[in-house]
């Protein structure tokens, strides 16, 4: 289930590029406003969290030297769990004002509209475009110790981990093994590396167009829950460029 959230920026100042962590924190607080039990369960849960959100998509853009200046924007919020979307939407509408911290300033926003989008049913092929970057990592030996490495699509481990992570999250969410696990990356294009700051750490991640041939249930889950890791921090939200759908 997916919704589109339309917002208006009230403050005149530009927004810093590293707003993703602030947006994730705001969404959690709005969830707590609407459904404290669900928010508490989500916060304390170890392992995967089954929702994602896109970057802000600017409806207009005002040129400035540093940051993002605009009057209106929207973002997408997505989850395979309809209760999440309903609770988020209720929390956002109950208190439609929010702010994002911005180098010591507060950039104030107003939520103007929330639109629940039609459910899409996939067949076995789809080309996705990332609406927020995909983040994947691996451990590799360096100087006799294991070190975390962020992965880009030029590394074959990127695709292996993309598949494993998607299946693991699917099976945890539904509580059962997936039937007919097939997953093939047919092509990757429009790769753009990104560096995103989450709290005090930078994550190297990827904006890409990705063509997949896979079990329709995996394609559905990728669309609803995102691709890659740290989806609840706003990584891996995708949109459909081209697909066979029911």
């Amino acid at each position: 289930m997916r919704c589109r959230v339309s917002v208006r920026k009230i403050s005149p100042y530009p927004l810093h590029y590293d707003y993703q962590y602030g947006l994730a924190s705001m969404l959690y607080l709005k969830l707590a406003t609407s459904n404290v039990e669900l928010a508490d369960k989500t916060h304390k849960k170890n392992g995967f969290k089954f929702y994602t959100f896109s970057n802000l998509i600017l409806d207009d853009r005002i040129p400035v030297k540093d940051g993002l200046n605009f009057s209106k924007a929207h973002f997408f919020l997505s989850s395979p769990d309809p209760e999440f979307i309903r609770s988020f939407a209720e929390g956002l509408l109950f208190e439609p004002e929010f702010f994002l911290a911005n180098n010591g300033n507060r950039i104030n926003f107003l939520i103007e509209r929330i639109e629940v989008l039609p459910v899409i049913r996939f067949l076995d092929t789809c080309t996705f475009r990332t609406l927020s970057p995909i983040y994947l990592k691996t451990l590799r030996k360096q100087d006799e110790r294991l070190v975390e490495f962020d992965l880009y699509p030029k590394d074959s481990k990127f695709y292996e981990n993309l598949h494993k992570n998607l299946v693991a999250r699917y099976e945890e969410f539904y509580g059962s093994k997936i039937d007919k696990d097939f997953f093939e990356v047919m092509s990757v294009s429009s790769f753009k590396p990104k560096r995103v700051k989450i709290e005090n750490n930078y994550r190297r991640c990827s904006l890409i167009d990705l063509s997949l041939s896979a079990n329709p249930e995996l394609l559905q889950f990728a669309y609803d829950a995102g691709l890659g890791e740290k989806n609840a921090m706003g990584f891996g939200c995708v949109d459909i460029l081209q697909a066979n759908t029911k």
Side-chain angles (χ1 to χ4, degrees):
M1 193 175 194
R2 176 170 292 206
C3 65
R4 171 179 163 140
V5 182
S6 298
V7 303
R8 177 161 52 91
K9 186 167 73 71
I10 299 171
S11 300
Y13 315 107
L15 177 67
H16 192 271
Y17 295 110
D18 289 318
Y19 62 80
Q20 199 164 319
Y21 180 74
L23 193 57
S25 300
M26 180 277 291
L27 288 171
Y28 173 76
L29 291 174
K30 295 298 185 183
L31 177 63
T33 298
S34 161
N35 191 328
V36 174
E37 184 178 347
L38 180 58
D40 189 55
K41 179 182 175 182
T42 301
H43 182 67
K44 290 181 178 178
K45 180 182 180 295
N46 293 321
F48 304 121
K49 295 176 174 62
F50 301 105
Y51 66 93
T52 190
F53 60 91
S54 73
N55 291 344
L56 287 172
I57 300 165
L58 309 187
D59 298 341
D60 59 349
R61 185 162 185 163
I62 303 166
V64 290
K65 289 183 179 180
D66 298 310
L68 301 168
N69 205 12
F70 56 94
S71 59
K72 293 190 176 185
H74 65 275
F75 64 92
F76 295 97
L77 181 63
S78 187
S79 174
D81 185 351
E83 183 184 0
F84 261 97
I85 297 300
R86 284 194 292 267
S87 295
F88 272 127
E90 288 172 6
L92 291 168
L93 290 173
F94 183 74
E95 293 183 354
E97 300 87 4
F98 69 94
F99 73 91
L100 298 176
N102 192 76
N103 294 331
N105 295 319
R106 289 165 54 122
I107 307 298
N108 295 308
F109 291 85
L110 178 67
I111 295 162
E112 294 192 316
R113 185 183 180 192
I114 298 178
E115 177 187 3
V116 176
L117 302 181
V119 174
I120 296 173
R121 300 299 180 192
F122 292 84
L123 295 177
D124 59 356
T125 60
C126 183
T127 300
F128 288 124
R129 169 166 289 171
T130 48
L131 295 176
S132 58
I134 294 174
Y135 174 69
L136 289 163
K137 66 180 183 296
T138 192
L139 291 173
R140 286 182 174 147
K141 200 169 184 180
Q142 187 178 71
D143 299 328
E144 302 303 316
R145 62 192 182 95
L146 289 176
V147 178
E148 268 191 10
F149 280 87
D150 297 340
L151 293 169
Y152 283 140
K154 63 183 179 181
D155 193 322
S156 61
K157 190 69 173 172
F158 179 94
Y159 305 101
E160 179 185 340
N161 285 16
L162 188 74
H163 180 200
K164 286 182 177 179
N165 173 273
L166 183 62
V167 171
R169 289 186 295 127
Y170 176 97
E171 292 180 346
E172 183 174 319
F173 181 78
Y174 288 106
S176 62
K177 293 285 185 182
I178 188 168
D179 185 34
K180 298 179 180 178
D181 169 22
F182 70 93
F183 180 93
E184 180 184 357
V185 178
M186 297 186 292
S187 67
V188 170
S189 60
S190 302
F191 165 60
K192 183 179 180 181
K194 293 286 289 183
R195 196 174 72 144
V196 177
K197 187 177 183 182
I198 300 295
E199 294 186 287
N200 295 317
N201 298 310
Y202 282 96
R203 309 284 180 175
R204 292 173 176 84
C205 43
S206 307
L207 290 168
I208 55 175
D209 294 349
L210 186 70
S211 294
L212 299 174
S213 174
N215 184 325
E217 293 179 41
L218 285 179
L219 294 178
Q220 183 78 53
F221 194 79
Y223 180 74
D224 287 337
L227 284 167
E229 303 178 41
K230 298 190 178 296
N231 307 111
M233 284 287 108
F235 288 97
C237 185
V238 295
D239 197 8
I240 299 167
L241 276 183
Q242 185 175 1
N244 294 323
T245 58
K246 297 179 182 179

